[in-house]
Amino acid sequence: MAASTPRKHTFLGRLSLPERTFVANALRAETVGGVLLLVAAIAALIWANTPLKESYATVRDFHLGPGSLGLDLSVQHWAADGLLAVFFFVAGIELKRELVAGDLRDPKAAALPVIAALCGMAVPALVYTLVNTAGGGSLGGWAVPTATDIAFALAVLAVIGTALPSALRAFLLTLAVVDDLFAILIIAVFFTSDLNFAALGGAVIGLAVFWLLLRKGVRGWYVYVPLAVVVWGLMYNSGVHATIAGVAMGLMLRCHRREGEGHSPGEHIEHLVRPLSAGLAVPLFALFSAGVAISGGALGDVFTRPETLGVVLGLVVGKAVGIFGGTWLAARFTRAELNDDLAWADVFAVASLAGIGFTVSLLIGELAFGDDPALTDEVKAAVLVGSLTAAVLSGVLLKIRNAKYRAMYEEEERDEDLDGIPDIYEQDNPEYHLRMAEIYEKKAAEHRRRAETAAGSGEPDHGPA
């Protein structure tokens, strides 16, 4: 008896209706946040490159906070270490949801985006390392071009008006979630200073109390918010980057629904906190981190200094090649067939879009070159140039296929029986076909009535209104 051929599965096929609804809601919020992030970045660049630039430096470097607790920080550090903890808290919840209820819960479905994300981080790091090895630059910034900014990427999609199909959007979202996970690990492992074990032990105890309260079903923001602030402060003083506290607390939330629940606690809290993250925390971080002085000479230096050139090439070339190559190889060896409605050019366009590495890249740039302010600003300028180049390139590629995307999007959204469920998800349901037959019969009866009326009055029938 011949061995059975392994069954192939479809890559970037139609999502299930619940997953499609979740992706649509999540990306809608991310898109709004991305537009605010874009506005904040532009405002920072204008503020730092006009006669008001001295006031920008004054506000950014102004210190506040209790020095006795080791928290006398500049406004810029409060934004990077404090506000971004909220961003990483939401990222932790997203990761937990993907692991227990999303694409990452199934190892076979998770293989493609995980491999793509890993290659999309390894290749930019390799590009940066090769450029700096050849040019005699610093290897300390190898992690700068490894990150993807999903909010900024979706803001680009909103600006160019591409009706990207839900499968491609979900692939981009899953890529970003896995990307965030490894960015968190990079920050924790490679950018941790000398450890204060007493503070770290206190943070771990605080996290244990946080977990225990969740398991006991204790409710009330007035319990968790003060505890979260204490854990964050201890984590900051421990030498581990403070955003790790946000990730850890996000991962502790329950993200699977129990019987009778409309939403899990994780989904509910994410819904409440995401507007704070996308609408306030991340834009304020961009406002005080993206304000670098840009002149003709400075832009020229971006393409001549190995550290900055490595960042630009890592984002523009490394991300696209890494994600596309990883996806193609994974699909080939897992016997995945690409959706018939899409082409590999679509995957390359999304891979190019992932080269927008704004928020986390700026953060890692500050951590990698914090002892050299001039180089830090040059690396930030390289992140801006690389992200802008990736945005333009991906925008052109996506526009070329926009007519095809729009046809797919309209097919996904079509709901002729007006029951709130897209028709494409009901085509195997006998009740759907019965409803559609009734709708068509009503249209035919209306057409006959109009024809009879027109014949009786001697006027031509113009058909249904």
Side-chain angles (χ1 to χ4, degrees):
M1 183 176 178
S4 59
T5 303
R7 186 172 61 88
K8 293 187 176 184
H9 64 277
T10 301
F11 169 50
L12 296 178
R14 188 169 75 241
L15 302 177
S16 67
L17 184 57
E19 187 68 10
R20 176 184 175 277
T21 302
F22 171 81
V23 168
N25 292 336
L27 296 188
R28 191 178 298 114
E30 290 282 8
T31 301
V32 174
V35 173
L36 293 175
L37 176 61
L38 187 59
V39 170
I42 293 172
L45 289 171
I46 293 174
W47 194 359
N49 289 277
T50 62
L52 297 173
K53 60 185 178 182
E54 291 184 2
S55 67
Y56 178 80
T58 300
V59 173
R60 182 190 61 192
D61 298 332
F62 180 76
H63 278 63
L64 68 159
S68 60
L69 298 177
L71 296 175
D72 181 21
L73 309 178
S74 68
V75 170
Q76 183 179 14
H77 276 103
W78 275 112
D81 294 296
L83 291 177
L84 275 195
V86 179
F87 165 78
F88 278 105
F89 174 69
V90 174
I93 299 175
E94 289 177 338
L95 176 60
K96 180 67 173 291
R97 187 212 166 265
E98 285 292 320
L99 289 170
V100 302
D103 286 343
L104 299 183
R105 75 185 187 282
D106 179 2
K108 291 183 179 179
L112 277 167
V114 169
I115 292 172
L118 283 172
C119 293
M121 299 185 82
V123 176
L126 178 61
V127 170
Y128 178 93
T129 301
L130 291 175
V131 170
N132 281 269
T133 299
S138 169
L139 299 181
W142 64 270
V144 176
T146 60
T148 293
D149 193 316
I150 183 64
F152 221 139
L154 292 168
V156 171
L157 288 180
V159 170
I160 66 176
T162 300
L164 206 62
S166 58
L168 280 174
R169 289 179 180 269
F171 181 61
L172 180 60
L173 179 61
T174 306
L175 272 177
V177 170
V178 179
D179 191 282
D180 284 344
L181 168 63
F182 288 102
I184 291 161
L185 293 176
I186 287 173
I187 291 172
V189 174
F190 295 100
F191 297 102
T192 293
S193 56
D194 295 335
L195 289 177
N196 180 332
F197 287 100
L200 182 59
V204 171
I205 292 172
L207 289 171
V209 172
F210 188 89
W211 179 84
L212 185 61
L213 291 173
L214 288 173
R215 292 299 172 272
K216 294 293 185 181
V218 176
R219 297 189 178 187
W221 64 268
Y222 46 82
V223 174
Y224 291 101
V225 172
L227 179 58
V229 172
V230 170
V231 171
W232 173 86
L234 289 168
M235 190 70 76
Y236 177 83
N237 281 286
S238 74
V240 177
H241 199 271
T243 54
I244 302 302
V247 177
M249 287 183 279
L251 286 170
M252 289 181 183
L253 294 174
R254 178 169 60 82
C255 292
H256 62 273
R257 299 178 188 180
R258 292 175 178 168
E259 188 175 352
E261 285 186 336
H263 301 282
S264 68
E267 290 172 320
H268 176 66
I269 293 173
E270 181 187 5
H271 178 73
L272 294 176
V273 178
R274 186 185 288 275
L276 176 63
S277 170
L280 181 66
V282 176
L284 281 178
F285 167 77
L287 182 64
F288 293 111
S289 290
V292 294
I294 295 179
S295 62
L299 290 177
D301 291 342
V302 166
F303 296 99
T304 56
R305 184 159 184 164
E307 292 89 350
T308 51
L309 180 61
V311 169
V312 173
L313 292 179
L315 289 172
V316 177
V317 178
K319 273 288 183 183
V321 172
I323 292 175
F324 178 81
T327 305
W328 186 84
L329 288 173
R332 180 177 179 85
F333 287 106
T334 59
R335 299 183 60 82
E337 291 183 334
L338 187 66
N339 185 344
D340 290 339
D341 294 324
L342 296 173
W344 282 106
D346 302 310
V347 179
F348 186 80
V350 172
S352 300
L353 189 62
I356 302 174
F358 190 76
T359 303
V360 181
S361 289
L362 289 177
L363 175 62
I364 295 177
E366 291 179 358
L367 296 174
F369 300 107
D371 56 350
D372 188 343
L375 182 54
T376 299
D377 282 350
E378 291 175 357
V379 167
K380 286 182 179 180
V383 170
L384 295 175
V385 170
S387 296
L388 179 61
T389 304
V392 172
L393 174 63
S394 59
V396 170
L397 294 175
L398 291 168
K399 271 295 185 183
I400 292 173
R401 295 270 293 169
N402 197 44
K404 180 65 174 179
Y405 296 149
R406 186 160 297 281
M408 293 178 64
Y409 181 79
E410 290 174 352
E411 178 64 17
E412 287 182 359
E413 294 295 317
R414 186 167 56 87
D415 183 20
E416 292 193 11
D417 58 350
L418 303 177
D419 65 346
I421 300 175
D423 296 340
I424 199 168
Y425 290 95
E426 299 185 294
Q427 291 177 355
D428 295 329
N429 185 350
E431 293 182 2
Y432 163 77
H433 292 289
L434 181 60
R435 288 197 302 271
M436 294 304 299
E438 292 174 350
I439 290 172
Y440 290 138
E441 178 56 34
K442 288 180 180 178
K443 288 182 178 179
E446 177 66 14
H447 181 72
R448 288 194 298 270
R449 185 188 66 77
R450 288 178 177 272
E452 292 170 357
T453 302
S457 63
E459 298 177 358
D461 176 23
H462 296 291

